[in-house]
Amino acid sequence: PLILVGGPVLAYNLLVLASYVLTGWAVYLLASDMLVRAQDRWMRIFSAFVAGALFAFGTYRMAHVVHLQLLQTAWLPLALLFLRRFLHDTETGTRRWRCAALFGLFTGIQCITALYYAYFTALTIGLYVVIWLLRTLSRRQRLNFWQNIGGLSFGGILAALITIPVTLPYIHVYEYLGIVRSLRELDNWSA
């Protein structure tokens, strides 16, 4: 719709600017949620704002300012925010399932926005869930355990339903063209 209204240059510029705002806001929300137990409210707000600004305008993102798809990093912090809220909320009912659905939605969106980030997303979400699982089992907290597993499964299935239809055509094109990434090529383009 932006291309139809203002042309491709306006659409590109608005999407670049929006990526910085949305990413900063997403990290602010995640950091604020993580610091909810902080005594000083203003310190929590300031710290979350600094975290959002540092992430949004970090060196990695600034180096990729010409790669629109690599600027779309807001979805991973939002996925982590709702995963965190789902796993640590002691309430039951629709609020928890809404958090599970939003976790799956944002995970799926992050995976299809930039396929490179699908690997980072899977690793980050996977590590978070493994750490949560180890903490839960070590504390013998069985309260809502199976409901949490069900919500994680629901979010994972939703993310897969978003990701698979977008990635399958890419896989078919790679197979059709015989594209294979060699170790030499990976070494050449690595940091």
Side-chain angles (χ1 to χ4, degrees), residues 2 9-19:
L2 292 173
V9 174
L10 177 66
Y12 178 85
N13 288 333
L14 287 176
L15 287 172
V16 167
L17 292 174
S19 78

Side-chain angles (χ1 to χ4, degrees), residues 102-120:
L102 289 170
F103 149 66
L105 174 71
F106 290 129
T107 300
I109 291 173
Q110 184 62 72
C111 289
I112 65 171
T113 303
L115 291 178
Y116 292 119
Y117 290 159
Y119 298 104
F120 300 144

Side-chain angles (χ1 to χ4, degrees), residues 24-97:
W25 178 67
V27 173
Y28 169 83
L29 290 176
L30 177 61
S32 183
D33 192 62
M34 293 174 73
L35 297 170
V36 74
R37 292 185 183 173
Q39 297 292 335
D40 187 0
R41 178 177 175 255
W42 293 108
M43 184 56 73
R44 183 182 83 213
I45 292 171
F46 176 74
S47 299
F49 178 80
V50 169
L54 287 174
F55 189 85
F57 297 101
T59 307
Y60 177 80
R61 285 178 44 81
M62 296 305 284
H64 290 290
V65 72
V66 295
H67 301 116
L68 185 60
Q69 78 280 12
L70 295 180
L71 292 178
Q72 310 309 316
T73 54
W75 312 115
L76 180 56
L78 289 172
L80 286 171
L81 171 68
F82 288 105
L83 173 62
R84 178 179 160 72
R85 285 184 180 174
F86 172 75
L87 291 175
H88 298 288
D89 194 354
T90 56
E91 293 182 22
T92 58
T94 58
R95 177 181 168 186
R96 291 196 73 230
W97 288 100

Side-chain angles (χ1 to χ4, degrees), residues 122-134:
L123 179 65
T124 304
I125 297 295
L127 284 174
Y128 192 96
V129 170
V130 166
I131 291 169
W132 167 81
L133 187 61
L134 291 174

